[in-house]
Amino acid sequence: MAAAPPIFRSSFLSSQPLPHTSSTARATPHISLSIRATATSSDPPSAAAAAAAPLKHRRPADENIREEARRHVSSHNFSAKYVPFNAEPSSTESYSLDEIVYRSRSGGLLDVQHDMEALKKFDGEYWRSLFDSRVGKTTWPYGSGVWSKKEWVLPEIDSDDIVSAFEGNSNLFWAERYGKQFLGMNDLWVKHCGISHTGSFKDLGMTVLVSQVNRLRKMNRPVVGVGCASTGDTSAALSAYCASAGIPSIVFLPANRISLAQLVQPIANGAFVLSIDTDFDGCMQLIREVTAELPIYLANSLNSLRLEGQKTAAIEILQQFDWQVPDWVIVPGGNLGNIYAFYKGFHMCKELGLVDRIPRLVCAQAANANPLYLHYKSGWKDFKAVKAGTTFASAIQIGDPVSIDRAVYALKNCNGIVEEATEEELMDAMAQADSTGMFICPHTGVALTALIKLRNSGIIGPTDRTVVVSTAHGLKFTQSKINYHSKEIKDMACRYANPPVQVKADFGSVMDVLKKYLLSKDS
Ligand SMILES: Cc1ncc(COP(=O)(O)O)c(C=O)c1O
Ligand SMILES: N[C@@H](CCOP(=O)(O)O)C(=O)O
């Protein structure tokens, strides 16, 4: 057998495949890997496989996992750079990821472009096996669902510079009862991206962005702090990752427009919090102006680095289905970076041979903040920003999304759909989902409303494998649930409210109430 190429040459990870014989031919996995690859995740390892797998020795007691990773540096030829988003093939404009740049020369969006030819030297089976081998480990940095795909995210960053909370690897929940009872569906799933370090999918992007900032600061680039405008989740993630790395964070929040649980997150993590008397779009405008003047690095998804982390949620979904492709993925949209991130993750898996198709995407918006929906309904004619109205889905109360072009591109290329949800629809959907054992956020209620509409119109079929992306933890939005279940919302029937019953503290009263309840259940 010819010598292995430099990638992952070390025997550091028993879970890390030692592949390839040729840098030009498509790679075939190493023999010990093919034993793993043919077994399903539920199979016990065969005696031969168990015997073949070398035991990983415990690291020395005085060494931590970051230091252990330092001893096992791997070299490879993967790289990535910024290019103008959706550039003409003839464009030569590009920037190193070590430059501080958020916009192309013409003022358009940027995208992180990977050296796909280098990645294609390894076949789909290789990548599937490599990613699968890293799940659920504590090996730095692969224990993270994002960094387990490091070669596709930030291939050139030193593992030592990575700031991670082992984010990702979030639960893909089979919504058995909700699917059956409310939609007549048998293959409905909820990707719980909100069950995460700071309670939302933003962690996936922020680990990447803050890691790159960490690297830039070590390179003495002019980055004194990192800043964002936020409806509450980006600011929570930014401040947590910055605090973990000892980097100052600055957050611009629209005053009185985010939940208390979200507000307290950056406060607790020591961010410099500005509560500004405007909406999110106003804060976004301000942070863009400020980051153009001061050495503050912009952390919103206008910065394409963020999307490199967020796209791993799409890869993870495929991985969790043993690399089978769902029919539909429904994502709530606000600033519209995430819908593109999902598209990019799915598309990369197809291009690199891990799967043979991509799902259709649905972007779901609150009717009170629906610029993408209106654009879609107009047949993608000219886009108009809107003044976003108040919505219980407060994290997507955005009227002028920075990633509109990315979203339109993604939806056009996957035969996607845009739907909207009124306040009553999204709150009812949230309450119904909660009544089946979930505890979702209102944004997930928006996505579920889109699903209900597409099921009712027959576009999504009863056996279609469908994934609803839950973007934040319900515990961040308890006030909306309290209002609903207290029936305190003006002009809303709150049909599924389940308020507590006030009972006198005597046995007879308690028995009366319980008997009535049990009778109602019996029928
Ligand atoms: C909980 C939640 N869901 C959905 C979104 C929408 O994501 P995007 O802005 O990438 O469209 C956001 C943020 O905007 C969010 O915080
Ligand atoms: N919901 C977001 C809004 C900003 O989105 P971003 O992805 O551009 O940072 C938030 O939580 O702030």
Side-chain angles (χ1 to χ4, degrees):
M1 190 169 96
I7 172 176
F8 317 127
R9 200 194 293 267
S10 101
S11 58
F12 170 35
L13 281 176
S14 58
S15 58
Q16 195 163 262
L18 291 170
H20 332 303
T21 53
S22 152
S23 58
T24 48
R26 292 206 126 206
T28 45
H30 183 268
I31 183 72
S32 66
L33 177 64
S34 56
I35 294 170
R36 291 171 145 276
T38 49
T40 68
S41 55
S42 56
D43 289 336
S46 68
L55 271 182
K56 184 186 167 192
H57 293 293
R58 192 166 166 176
R59 63 178 185 280
D62 60 350
E63 186 180 69
N64 65 37
I65 54 171
R66 198 187 276 280
E67 290 160 347
E68 182 186 37
R70 215 177 280 151
R71 274 198 291 119
H72 297 278
V73 176
S74 58
S75 60
H76 55 68
N77 297 320
F78 306 132
S79 63
K81 60 188 178 188
Y82 294 121
V83 297
F85 173 73
N86 197 16
E88 294 295 323
S90 59
S91 165
T92 54
E93 184 179 345
S94 72
Y95 307 89
S96 155
L97 298 189
D98 294 333
E99 286 184 61
I100 298 173
V101 52
Y102 315 116
R103 287 275 186 190
S104 71
R105 231 177 276 139
S106 66
L109 294 163
L110 293 176
D111 198 23
V112 173
Q113 186 183 72
H114 290 264
D115 179 351
M116 295 302 282
E117 291 316 307
L119 293 171
K120 277 180 187 165
K121 294 209 170 113
F122 304 88
D123 65 9
E125 172 56 23
Y126 168 75
W127 290 116
R128 285 194 300 260
S129 300
L130 179 66
F131 295 161
D132 285 348
S133 75
R134 291 171 173 170
V135 176
K137 305 281 165 41
T138 53
T139 310
W140 187 266
Y142 305 123
S144 154
V146 171
W147 296 108
S148 63
K149 281 104 190 158
K150 180 174 184 286
E151 296 80 1
W152 292 23
V153 174
L154 279 191
E156 288 157 290
I157 196 164
D158 191 322
S159 291
D160 216 24
D161 293 341
I162 288 175
V163 182
S164 169
F166 278 9
E167 49 293 303
N169 291 325
S170 60
N171 182 20
L172 183 57
F173 171 89
W174 180 35
E176 180 182 12
R177 186 162 156 232
Y178 182 84
K180 198 194 260 178
Q181 185 168 330
F182 297 111
L183 296 160
M185 294 180 81
N186 68 353
D187 210 1
L188 174 64
W189 301 77
V190 177
K191 175 69 172 162
H192 277 300
C193 293
I195 302 180
S196 180
H197 185 61
T198 69
S200 87
F201 72 96
K202 305 287 179 175
D203 294 342
L204 305 176
M206 213 51 86
T207 180
V208 175
L209 185 132
V210 174
S211 297
Q212 179 63 14
V213 167
N214 200 29
R215 172 181 162 98
L216 294 175
R217 281 164 60 96
K218 287 186 184 176
M219 296 166 91
N220 292 321
R221 295 292 159 94
V223 182
V224 178
V226 192
C228 72
S230 185
T231 52
D233 291 323
T234 297
S235 45
L238 176 65
S239 47
Y241 282 83
C242 280
S244 164
I247 298 171
S249 61
I250 300 116
V251 306
F252 288 12
L253 303 179
N256 305 319
R257 286 179 169 90
I258 72 170
S259 79
L260 214 55
Q262 288 173 309
L263 173 62
V264 80
Q265 289 184 284
I267 291 173
N269 286 142
F272 188 54
V273 179
L274 302 194
S275 176
I276 306 179
D277 189 18
T278 179
D279 56 10
F280 170 79
D281 297 302
C283 290
M284 190 70 224
Q285 182 56 34
L286 284 167
I287 194 78
R288 282 166 72 164
E289 289 168 16
V290 164
T291 51
E293 294 291 323
L294 296 175
I296 297 175
Y297 193 78
L298 179 65
N300 284 100
S301 58
L302 176 65
N303 187 326
S304 46
L305 280 180
R306 279 263 313 278
L307 306 182
E308 292 308 293
Q310 289 172 211
K311 82 183 177 196
T312 62
I315 307 170
E316 222 170 81
I317 288 173
L318 298 175
Q319 189 169 18
Q320 286 167 311
F321 285 132
D322 273 331
W323 305 101
Q324 290 167 12
V325 184
D327 301 302
W328 298 93
V329 175
I330 307 178
V331 186
N335 222 9
L336 300 181
N338 211 27
I339 187 79
Y340 175 69
F342 269 89
Y343 170 78
K344 190 170 183 184
F346 287 128
H347 186 259
M348 258 181 109
C349 285
K350 178 163 179 270
E351 200 178 348
L352 290 167
L354 285 75
V355 293
D356 58 5
R357 64 186 180 94
I358 67 170
R360 287 181 73 182
L361 296 178
V362 178
C363 189
Q365 292 211 293
N368 287 353
N370 62 354
L372 180 73
Y373 177 77
L374 297 177
H375 190 35
Y376 171 76
K377 282 290 174 191
S378 76
W380 302 124
K381 298 246 170 58
D382 45 17
F383 173 75
K384 285 192 200 71
V386 301
K387 177 85 187 151
T390 307
T391 167
F392 281 106
S394 54
I396 53 175
Q397 190 182 327
I398 297 173
D400 192 7
V402 299
S403 285
I404 181 68
D405 293 348
R406 291 175 175 141
V408 172
Y409 177 91
L411 290 161
K412 282 184 178 169
N413 281 287
C414 69
N415 194 15
I417 294 175
V418 188
E419 260 301 347
E420 67 170 357
T422 65
E423 292 303 290
E424 183 147 23
E425 286 168 339
L426 75 91
M427 292 299 277
D428 281 348
M430 178 172 78
Q432 284 184 319
D434 286 356
S435 77
T436 65
M438 291 185 254
F439 196 77
I440 60 167
C441 69
H443 320 86
T444 311
V446 172
L448 286 174
T449 302
L451 171 60
I452 293 166
K453 291 184 174 176
L454 294 170
R455 267 296 291 129
N456 289 344
S457 64
I459 294 175
I460 295 186
T463 57
D464 287 359
R465 180 173 287 179
T466 304
V467 179
V468 169
V469 176
S470 178
T471 43
H473 203 296
L475 285 171
K476 287 194 179 200
F477 299 93
T478 46
Q479 192 57 51
S480 64
K481 293 179 192 284
I482 292 168
N483 293 352
Y484 185 91
H485 289 289
S486 326
K487 297 197 169 212
E488 269 174 10
I489 305 171
K490 195 166 168 280
D491 298 329
M492 199 180 283
C494 302
R495 284 184 294 155
Y496 307 103
N498 179 32
V501 180
Q502 304 292 328
V503 202
K504 273 203 268 165
D506 67 73
F507 181 72
S509 305
V510 170
M511 286 296 280
D512 285 350
V513 165
L514 283 178
K515 280 181 192 157
K516 211 166 139 198
Y517 170 74
L518 292 177
L519 272 176
S520 78
K521 290 292 149 190
D522 209 23
S523 59

